[in-house]
Amino acid sequence: MATMKDVALRAGVSTTTVSHIINDTRYVSEDLRRKVMDAIAALNYQPHGPARSLRTKRTRTIGMIIPDNSNPFFAEVARSVEDAAFDNQYNVILCNSDGSPVKELNYLHLLIEKGVDGLAFISAGKDPRSIDLLSQQSIPWVVADREIPKVKADEVLVDNLDGGLQATHYLLSLGHRRIGCIAGPRQLTPSFERLTGYQRALAAAGIAVDPEMIRHGDFRSSSGYDACQALMRHREPPSAIFACNDLMAIGALKAAHDSGLGIPQQLSIIGFDDIAWSAFTFPRLTTMAQPKQEMGRLLTAWLVERIKNDQLPQRRRMLAAKLMVRDSCAPLETAWVRQGHP
Ligand code: RIB
């Protein structure tokens, strides 16, 4: 068990300095604070009861890290967190990791050094350095949206596999058999689970999964545009596409339009997230609605409770995605008849 003296030796400072930093009882430079915090993380130092309890100076601030602040999904979750935090007299410091493990780690250090009382974490991609740092420091934290296996933190997630099953079942119910999938980044759990739901739904319908009908984007619109164009250039193009998030589905809508394809007459497209924009595309996007407000409210409530009592048992909630039918999907027979097919 590392001691405060071990931390001081590793950081090259006195134990008094370590104590002041842990208990926030004296101003120190960011550089010195960073050295001590790094030593604490590296040694997995756990302040003794009194030292921890001496850190009574609450900042009434919650830190939140999201992977892409230009993606309305994360913005809407962050907005819900901020509303719930404000209702509990907490402020929020919002950081954008931009999908970069390096930026994510830097922001985690910053938030810990700023002394946030709790941390809401949507990971850029399960980087072990970030998970180790979060696991070793003493600030309460909650994982949202992107599951991190075996982590000792509360988790608020969505059943992505069921969401992928629902989306694909819906297209199958419209008579589609040749269904493409624009999946997200391979390393991200939500994308893998939605793609698995797509594959299981086809298998359950007795349809062999054609690997050429699966394309991977980066959860941004331009990758959805390119993936849709590639699918529609296939010698046997799909009559429907499941895009694993709305931004890629919106890119696919644009690609279909630029290719002269009528939506949904010649191609049905369904997305995932139900960001606010999806009700304003043309045609309006049919999608799987993620409970973003509920996710934000719940993770904030759990975080505030844990700030007050970090002995609470670990909690995990799996929320449900719900089908939101709008105008971008149509039954196959209708589409083919409109195309004048026999
Ligand atoms: O749109 C971004 C995607 O990444 C969302 O579907 C969300 O689940 C996040 O993980």
Side-chain angles (χ1 to χ4, degrees):
M1 174 77 76
T3 65
M4 190 183 287
K5 188 173 181 184
D6 298 328
V7 171
L9 283 171
R10 184 179 181 106
V13 300
S14 69
T15 52
T16 306
T17 300
V18 173
S19 173
H20 281 308
I21 288 173
I22 290 174
N23 300 305
D24 209 7
T25 47
R26 181 196 291 174
Y27 172 80
V28 294
S29 71
E30 287 305 310
D31 180 53
L32 206 53
R33 184 180 294 275
R34 168 76 61 93
K35 280 181 183 172
V36 171
M37 296 305 287
D38 286 349
I40 287 172
L43 295 170
N44 191 21
Y45 170 67
Q46 295 298 329
H48 296 307
R52 189 199 300 253
S53 64
L54 282 177
R55 188 176 174 277
T56 54
K57 182 172 173 292
R58 291 278 183 238
T59 58
R60 304 293 300 186
T61 304
I62 287 171
M64 182 171 192
I65 292 189
I66 57 177
D68 180 0
N69 59 359
S70 69
N71 182 324
F73 169 84
F74 299 112
E76 292 176 32
V77 173
R79 168 67 188 268
S80 174
V81 168
E82 190 178 30
D83 289 348
F86 183 81
D87 293 344
N88 286 275
Q89 293 81 47
Y90 279 86
N91 300 306
V92 175
I93 298 176
L94 180 62
C95 300
N96 172 38
S97 65
D98 202 19
S100 157
V102 172
K103 283 186 77 173
E104 178 179 86
L105 191 62
N106 282 342
Y107 274 128
L108 285 175
H109 276 295
L110 173 78
L111 292 172
I112 292 169
E113 288 161 16
K114 291 294 180 193
V116 296
D117 295 331
L119 211 150
F121 184 59
I122 302 183
S123 77
K126 295 185 285 191
D127 187 89
R129 294 169 298 176
S130 293
I131 298 165
D132 289 348
L133 176 61
L134 282 166
S135 304
Q136 288 164 9
Q137 48 76 40
S138 59
I139 297 174
W141 58 303
V142 177
V143 171
D145 177 50
R146 295 177 177 181
E147 184 173 12
I148 300 176
K150 302 186 185 68
V151 73
K152 291 194 179 345
D154 296 328
E155 287 189 297
V156 181
L157 308 168
V158 170
D159 190 340
N160 291 295
L161 189 143
D162 178 68
L165 278 167
Q166 286 187 62
T168 311
H169 280 150
Y170 176 64
L171 296 174
L172 289 165
S173 74
L174 295 176
H176 297 283
R177 290 296 174 270
R178 185 80 171 149
I179 301 173
C181 182
I182 302 175
R186 286 174 174 80
Q187 77 280 6
L188 294 182
T189 305
S191 174
F192 171 77
E193 292 172 340
R194 292 165 200 170
L195 176 57
T196 302
Y198 157 84
Q199 293 166 323
R200 288 190 186 174
L202 292 185
I207 298 170
V209 174
D210 179 353
E212 295 183 0
M213 284 292 107
I214 298 172
R215 305 281 166 159
H216 283 271
D218 61 3
F219 273 156
R220 292 189 169 101
S221 296
S222 55
S223 65
Y225 184 100
D226 296 341
C228 180
Q229 283 206 325
L231 287 169
M232 298 318 289
R233 281 196 299 264
H234 192 278
R235 63 189 176 284
E236 291 179 60
S239 62
I241 292 176
F242 165 39
C244 290
N245 88 325
D246 282 358
L247 288 184
M248 294 194 298
I250 290 169
L253 285 175
K254 179 71 169 64
H257 177 271
D258 290 354
S259 306
L261 285 172
I263 304 291
Q265 298 79 0
Q266 295 168 290
L267 175 67
S268 288
I269 295 176
I270 185 170
F272 203 110
D273 285 347
D274 193 23
I275 58 177
W277 299 350
S278 297
F280 297 91
T281 54
F282 183 80
R284 300 180 312 142
L285 183 65
T286 293
T287 184
M288 294 306 300
Q290 290 214 62
K292 301 172 285 296
Q293 285 68 34
E294 184 181 0
M295 179 186 282
R297 280 197 303 272
L298 183 59
L299 80 87
T300 306
W302 280 4
L303 193 51
V304 168
E305 287 168 8
R306 191 164 291 284
I307 288 168
K308 293 170 182 167
N309 175 9
D310 66 3
Q311 301 306 311
L312 289 168
Q314 188 175 342
R315 293 164 291 188
R316 173 188 165 95
R317 181 74 56 83
M318 186 73 84
L319 302 171
K322 292 186 175 66
L323 177 63
M324 171 61 76
V325 176
R326 294 197 179 100
D327 308 324
S328 60
C329 297
L332 177 60
E333 62 279 3
T334 309
W336 280 96
V337 165
R338 282 188 216 147
Q339 278 179 314
H341 287 267

Short mmCIF file of all heavy atoms in Angstrom, two decimals, residues 67-68 71-74 122-123 144-146 158 160 185 188-191 194 218-220 244-248 272-273 275 290 295, ligand 1:
data_model
loop_
_atom_site.label_atom_id
_atom_site.label_comp_id
_atom_site.label_asym_id
_atom_site.label_seq_id
_atom_site.Cartn_x
_atom_site.Cartn_y
_atom_site.Cartn_z
N PRO A 67 -17.16 12.32 -26.58
CA PRO A 67 -16.25 12.05 -27.70
C PRO A 67 -16.34 13.04 -28.87
O PRO A 67 -15.42 13.11 -29.66
CB PRO A 67 -16.66 10.65 -28.18
CG PRO A 67 -17.47 10.07 -27.08
CD PRO A 67 -18.13 11.24 -26.41
N ASP A 68 -17.45 13.75 -29.01
CA ASP A 68 -17.58 14.63 -30.18
C ASP A 68 -18.67 15.66 -29.91
O ASP A 68 -19.86 15.39 -30.06
CB ASP A 68 -17.95 13.78 -31.42
CG ASP A 68 -18.10 14.63 -32.67
OD1 ASP A 68 -17.92 15.86 -32.58
OD2 ASP A 68 -18.42 14.06 -33.74
N ASN A 71 -21.46 16.39 -32.48
CA ASN A 71 -22.51 15.41 -32.74
C ASN A 71 -23.69 15.69 -31.81
O ASN A 71 -23.53 15.63 -30.58
CB ASN A 71 -21.99 13.99 -32.48
CG ASN A 71 -23.04 12.93 -32.79
OD1 ASN A 71 -24.24 13.13 -32.57
ND2 ASN A 71 -22.59 11.79 -33.28
N PRO A 72 -24.86 16.01 -32.34
CA PRO A 72 -26.00 16.39 -31.50
C PRO A 72 -26.37 15.34 -30.45
O PRO A 72 -26.90 15.70 -29.40
CB PRO A 72 -27.14 16.57 -32.50
CG PRO A 72 -26.47 16.88 -33.79
CD PRO A 72 -25.19 16.09 -33.77
N PHE A 73 -26.04 14.07 -30.72
CA PHE A 73 -26.37 13.06 -29.69
C PHE A 73 -25.69 13.43 -28.39
O PHE A 73 -26.33 13.51 -27.33
CB PHE A 73 -25.94 11.65 -30.13
CG PHE A 73 -26.03 10.66 -29.00
CD1 PHE A 73 -27.23 10.03 -28.70
CD2 PHE A 73 -24.91 10.40 -28.20
CE1 PHE A 73 -27.32 9.16 -27.64
CE2 PHE A 73 -25.00 9.51 -27.13
CZ PHE A 73 -26.21 8.89 -26.85
N PHE A 74 -24.39 13.67 -28.44
CA PHE A 74 -23.65 13.97 -27.21
C PHE A 74 -24.05 15.34 -26.65
O PHE A 74 -24.14 15.52 -25.43
CB PHE A 74 -22.14 13.95 -27.49
CG PHE A 74 -21.64 12.62 -27.96
CD1 PHE A 74 -21.17 12.45 -29.25
CD2 PHE A 74 -21.67 11.51 -27.13
CE1 PHE A 74 -20.73 11.22 -29.69
CE2 PHE A 74 -21.23 10.28 -27.55
CZ PHE A 74 -20.76 10.14 -28.84
N ILE A 122 -18.08 9.52 -21.05
CA ILE A 122 -18.43 8.78 -22.28
C ILE A 122 -17.10 8.58 -23.01
O ILE A 122 -16.48 9.55 -23.46
CB ILE A 122 -19.43 9.52 -23.17
CG1 ILE A 122 -20.72 9.82 -22.40
CG2 ILE A 122 -19.74 8.68 -24.42
CD1 ILE A 122 -21.81 10.50 -23.23
N SER A 123 -16.65 7.34 -23.09
CA SER A 123 -15.25 7.09 -23.50
C SER A 123 -15.05 7.28 -25.01
O SER A 123 -15.96 7.08 -25.82
CB SER A 123 -14.86 5.66 -23.12
OG SER A 123 -15.42 4.75 -24.05
N ALA A 144 -21.33 6.41 -19.14
CA ALA A 144 -22.57 6.50 -19.89
C ALA A 144 -22.34 6.08 -21.33
O ALA A 144 -21.23 6.23 -21.86
CB ALA A 144 -23.11 7.93 -19.86
N ASP A 145 -23.38 5.51 -21.93
CA ASP A 145 -23.46 5.25 -23.37
C ASP A 145 -22.50 4.16 -23.87
O ASP A 145 -22.92 3.22 -24.52
CB ASP A 145 -23.19 6.55 -24.14
CG ASP A 145 -23.18 6.34 -25.64
OD1 ASP A 145 -24.13 5.73 -26.16
OD2 ASP A 145 -22.19 6.73 -26.27
N ARG A 146 -21.24 4.25 -23.55
CA ARG A 146 -20.27 3.29 -24.08
C ARG A 146 -19.74 2.45 -22.92
O ARG A 146 -18.97 2.91 -22.09
CB ARG A 146 -19.12 4.01 -24.80
CG ARG A 146 -19.63 4.72 -26.05
CD ARG A 146 -18.58 5.50 -26.78
NE ARG A 146 -19.13 6.10 -27.99
CZ ARG A 146 -18.41 6.83 -28.85
NH1 ARG A 146 -17.13 7.04 -28.62
NH2 ARG A 146 -18.98 7.35 -29.92
N VAL A 158 -27.55 1.97 -23.12
CA VAL A 158 -28.73 1.68 -23.93
C VAL A 158 -28.54 0.30 -24.54
O VAL A 158 -27.42 -0.08 -24.91
CB VAL A 158 -28.92 2.76 -25.02
CG1 VAL A 158 -30.00 2.36 -26.02
CG2 VAL A 158 -29.29 4.09 -24.37
N ASN A 160 -28.13 -1.57 -27.19
CA ASN A 160 -27.84 -1.34 -28.61
C ASN A 160 -28.14 -2.55 -29.46
O ASN A 160 -28.57 -2.43 -30.61
CB ASN A 160 -26.37 -0.94 -28.78
CG ASN A 160 -26.08 0.41 -28.20
OD1 ASN A 160 -26.59 1.42 -28.69
ND2 ASN A 160 -25.30 0.46 -27.13
N PRO A 185 -17.60 2.99 -36.10
CA PRO A 185 -16.22 2.51 -35.92
C PRO A 185 -16.18 1.13 -35.28
O PRO A 185 -16.88 0.88 -34.30
CB PRO A 185 -15.60 3.58 -35.01
CG PRO A 185 -16.42 4.81 -35.26
CD PRO A 185 -17.81 4.32 -35.50
N LEU A 188 -15.84 0.57 -31.40
CA LEU A 188 -16.80 1.13 -30.44
C LEU A 188 -17.93 0.15 -30.16
O LEU A 188 -18.60 -0.35 -31.08
CB LEU A 188 -17.36 2.45 -30.96
CG LEU A 188 -16.35 3.59 -31.07
CD1 LEU A 188 -17.02 4.87 -31.55
CD2 LEU A 188 -15.63 3.83 -29.74
N THR A 189 -18.16 -0.12 -28.90
CA THR A 189 -19.15 -1.11 -28.47
C THR A 189 -20.55 -0.85 -29.04
O THR A 189 -21.18 -1.77 -29.57
CB THR A 189 -19.21 -1.17 -26.94
OG1 THR A 189 -17.90 -1.41 -26.44
CG2 THR A 189 -20.15 -2.27 -26.46
N PRO A 190 -21.09 0.38 -28.96
CA PRO A 190 -22.44 0.60 -29.48
C PRO A 190 -22.57 0.18 -30.95
O PRO A 190 -23.57 -0.41 -31.35
CB PRO A 190 -22.66 2.10 -29.31
CG PRO A 190 -21.79 2.48 -28.18
CD PRO A 190 -20.56 1.61 -28.32
N SER A 191 -21.57 0.47 -31.75
CA SER A 191 -21.62 0.10 -33.16
C SER A 191 -21.60 -1.42 -33.32
O SER A 191 -22.41 -1.99 -34.05
CB SER A 191 -20.45 0.71 -33.92
OG SER A 191 -20.43 0.23 -35.25
N ARG A 194 -25.00 -2.84 -32.34
CA ARG A 194 -26.08 -2.59 -33.31
C ARG A 194 -25.90 -3.47 -34.56
O ARG A 194 -26.86 -4.01 -35.11
CB ARG A 194 -26.09 -1.11 -33.68
CG ARG A 194 -26.52 -0.22 -32.52
CD ARG A 194 -26.21 1.24 -32.70
NE ARG A 194 -26.22 1.89 -31.39
CZ ARG A 194 -25.82 3.13 -31.18
NH1 ARG A 194 -25.39 3.88 -32.19
NH2 ARG A 194 -25.82 3.64 -29.97
N ASP A 218 -17.57 6.45 -39.68
CA ASP A 218 -16.95 6.97 -38.44
C ASP A 218 -17.96 7.73 -37.57
O ASP A 218 -17.60 8.57 -36.78
CB ASP A 218 -15.77 7.89 -38.80
CG ASP A 218 -16.23 9.10 -39.62
OD1 ASP A 218 -17.46 9.23 -39.85
OD2 ASP A 218 -15.35 9.90 -40.03
N PHE A 219 -19.23 7.43 -37.77
CA PHE A 219 -20.32 8.09 -37.04
C PHE A 219 -20.51 9.54 -37.48
O PHE A 219 -21.26 10.27 -36.85
CB PHE A 219 -20.09 8.06 -35.51
CG PHE A 219 -20.63 6.80 -34.86
CD1 PHE A 219 -20.10 6.37 -33.64
CD2 PHE A 219 -21.66 6.05 -35.41
CE1 PHE A 219 -20.59 5.23 -33.00
CE2 PHE A 219 -22.17 4.92 -34.78
CZ PHE A 219 -21.63 4.51 -33.58
N ARG A 220 -19.85 9.95 -38.59
CA ARG A 220 -20.07 11.31 -39.10
C ARG A 220 -20.76 11.23 -40.46
O ARG A 220 -20.68 10.20 -41.15
CB ARG A 220 -18.74 12.07 -39.19
CG ARG A 220 -18.14 12.37 -37.80
CD ARG A 220 -16.96 13.30 -37.87
NE ARG A 220 -16.57 13.77 -36.54
CZ ARG A 220 -15.54 13.27 -35.86
NH1 ARG A 220 -14.81 12.31 -36.39
NH2 ARG A 220 -15.22 13.74 -34.65
N CYS A 244 -26.12 3.04 -38.41
CA CYS A 244 -26.01 2.87 -36.96
C CYS A 244 -25.94 4.18 -36.19
O CYS A 244 -25.71 4.14 -34.96
CB CYS A 244 -24.82 1.98 -36.62
SG CYS A 244 -25.10 0.26 -37.09
N ASN A 245 -26.07 5.31 -36.82
CA ASN A 245 -26.36 6.56 -36.12
C ASN A 245 -26.97 7.55 -37.09
O ASN A 245 -26.85 7.39 -38.32
CB ASN A 245 -25.14 7.11 -35.38
CG ASN A 245 -24.27 8.00 -36.25
OD1 ASN A 245 -24.15 7.76 -37.45
ND2 ASN A 245 -23.70 9.03 -35.65
N ASP A 246 -27.62 8.59 -36.56
CA ASP A 246 -28.38 9.51 -37.42
C ASP A 246 -27.49 10.34 -38.33
O ASP A 246 -27.87 10.63 -39.47
CB ASP A 246 -29.23 10.46 -36.55
CG ASP A 246 -30.49 9.78 -36.03
OD1 ASP A 246 -30.72 8.58 -36.38
OD2 ASP A 246 -31.22 10.42 -35.28
N LEU A 247 -26.31 10.74 -37.85
CA LEU A 247 -25.47 11.57 -38.73
C LEU A 247 -25.08 10.80 -39.99
O LEU A 247 -25.11 11.34 -41.10
CB LEU A 247 -24.21 12.04 -37.98
CG LEU A 247 -24.44 13.10 -36.90
CD1 LEU A 247 -23.10 13.55 -36.31
CD2 LEU A 247 -25.20 14.31 -37.46
N MET A 248 -24.78 9.53 -39.86
CA MET A 248 -24.46 8.73 -41.06
C MET A 248 -25.72 8.52 -41.90
O MET A 248 -25.66 8.52 -43.14
CB MET A 248 -23.83 7.39 -40.66
CG MET A 248 -22.48 7.52 -39.99
SD MET A 248 -21.56 5.96 -39.89
CE MET A 248 -22.66 4.98 -38.88
N PHE A 272 -30.22 5.83 -36.16
CA PHE A 272 -30.15 5.45 -34.73
C PHE A 272 -29.69 6.68 -33.94
O PHE A 272 -28.66 7.27 -34.30
CB PHE A 272 -29.15 4.30 -34.55
CG PHE A 272 -29.36 3.47 -33.30
CD1 PHE A 272 -29.82 2.16 -33.38
CD2 PHE A 272 -29.09 3.98 -32.04
CE1 PHE A 272 -30.01 1.38 -32.24
CE2 PHE A 272 -29.28 3.22 -30.89
CZ PHE A 272 -29.74 1.91 -30.99
N ASP A 273 -30.38 7.09 -32.98
CA ASP A 273 -30.14 8.19 -32.03
C ASP A 273 -31.39 9.04 -31.83
O ASP A 273 -31.71 9.42 -30.71
CB ASP A 273 -29.00 9.16 -32.46
CG ASP A 273 -27.61 8.58 -32.28
OD1 ASP A 273 -27.49 7.56 -31.60
OD2 ASP A 273 -26.64 9.15 -32.83
N ILE A 275 -31.62 12.26 -33.04
CA ILE A 275 -31.20 13.63 -32.71
C ILE A 275 -32.28 14.59 -33.22
O ILE A 275 -33.08 14.24 -34.09
CB ILE A 275 -29.84 13.96 -33.38
CG1 ILE A 275 -29.91 13.80 -34.90
CG2 ILE A 275 -28.75 13.08 -32.77
CD1 ILE A 275 -28.62 14.18 -35.63
N GLN A 290 -32.83 7.08 -29.03
CA GLN A 290 -32.13 6.82 -27.77
C GLN A 290 -32.71 7.75 -26.71
O GLN A 290 -32.92 8.93 -26.96
CB GLN A 290 -30.64 7.08 -27.93
CG GLN A 290 -29.90 6.07 -28.79
CD GLN A 290 -28.49 5.84 -28.30
OE1 GLN A 290 -28.29 5.37 -27.16
NE2 GLN A 290 -27.52 6.13 -29.13
N MET A 295 -31.13 9.37 -20.01
CA MET A 295 -29.73 8.97 -19.72
C MET A 295 -29.02 10.08 -18.92
O MET A 295 -28.39 9.82 -17.89
CB MET A 295 -28.99 8.72 -21.04
CG MET A 295 -27.54 8.32 -20.87
SD MET A 295 -26.68 8.19 -22.46
CE MET A 295 -27.27 6.61 -23.01
O1 RIB B 1 -23.91 9.34 -32.80
C1 RIB B 1 -22.82 8.92 -31.99
C2 RIB B 1 -23.02 7.53 -31.50
O2 RIB B 1 -21.97 7.24 -30.60
C3 RIB B 1 -24.34 7.39 -30.76
O3 RIB B 1 -25.15 6.41 -31.37
C4 RIB B 1 -23.96 7.05 -29.34
O4 RIB B 1 -24.51 5.81 -28.90
C5 RIB B 1 -22.46 7.10 -29.29
O5 RIB B 1 -21.89 5.96 -28.71
#
